[in-house]
Amino acid sequence: MSGGPSYSANAAASSSAPQDSQQSATVVQPSQATAQTRRADEQARKDRTLAEFLLMLDDYEPLIPNEVTDYYLQRVGFECDDVRLKRLLSLAAQKFVSDIAADAYQHARIRTNAQPAARGRAAATDKSAANTAAGGASGAPAPSAPLKDKTKTVLTMDDLSAALSEYGINARKPDFFL
């Protein structure tokens, strides 16, 4: 008769289970409703922000002219009459080019700062020694020898290629073999 009491215990457990699930469901529903209202509020805030941004694009004139943007969009098959969307794409292209230029500039600065300073000092002492041997008593370099400007940074194709490679663009020329 052990089956009888276990059956009644199961029946008691099953009869109390719907009540527990109803109570837990009522507890879960307010938190779900709160989460849904939070999501709706967040979505409404994002929509307002996007609408405000699109209104700001009406007055914005990007650095890339609209005609250039229209040409390249037409070339890839993109058709849209909304000027704000075209300006948004132009702004994205402008930021992309700006990021690449900034990265190339950083590569150039690293390259110029990586050059050993001792090599520059040795060249200066060689020039002063040559100037002294040529009859210059002061030991200063000849006025025709230009001093290297430390503030001038020259971007090379290697700097640009290194910056473009970070974005997955291969701009290196292929090796030439005879």
Side-chain angles (χ1 to χ4, degrees):
M1 296 229 167
S2 62
S6 66
Y7 175 77
S8 62
N10 287 339
S14 64
S15 66
S16 67
Q19 292 172 354
D20 291 339
S21 66
Q22 288 175 355
Q23 288 174 352
S24 64
T26 57
V27 172
V28 174
Q29 287 178 354
S31 65
Q32 287 177 350
T34 305
Q36 289 176 351
T37 57
R38 285 184 190 157
R39 287 185 200 133
D41 291 344
E42 182 68 21
Q43 186 65 30
R45 186 189 63 77
K46 288 179 181 179
D47 289 343
R48 282 192 306 271
T49 305
L50 179 62
E52 291 171 0
F53 182 70
L54 288 175
L55 286 175
M56 289 183 349
L57 282 176
D58 284 335
D59 300 330
Y60 178 73
E61 189 64 34
L63 291 178
I64 300 173
N66 290 335
E67 293 79 17
V68 173
T69 305
D70 289 340
Y71 171 76
Y72 283 106
L73 290 177
Q74 179 187 14
R75 194 163 175 214
V76 297
F78 183 82
E79 294 181 17
C80 180
D81 294 331
D82 191 5
V83 176
R84 297 176 302 180
L85 183 60
K86 291 178 183 178
R87 287 184 180 169
L88 180 63
L89 292 171
S90 178
L91 183 64
Q94 177 181 335
K95 179 166 178 1
F96 181 68
V97 171
S98 175
D99 288 348
I100 290 172
D103 289 346
Y105 178 73
Q106 290 300 322
H107 282 282
R109 294 290 299 215
I110 291 169
R111 179 181 44 83
T112 56
N113 290 338
Q115 292 176 349
R119 194 171 78 186
R121 283 189 223 131
T125 56
D126 290 344
K127 287 181 183 177
S128 64
N131 189 21
T132 306
S138 68
S144 64
L147 294 176
K148 187 173 183 178
D149 187 11
K150 294 288 182 185
T151 60
K152 187 176 183 180
T153 303
V154 177
L155 295 177
T156 63
M157 189 61 190
D158 292 333
D159 300 327
L160 182 61
S161 296
L164 286 171
S165 67
E166 292 177 6
Y167 293 92
I169 300 170
N170 183 11
R172 296 203 183 269
K173 291 183 179 179
D175 294 329
F176 183 73
F177 297 105
L178 287 176

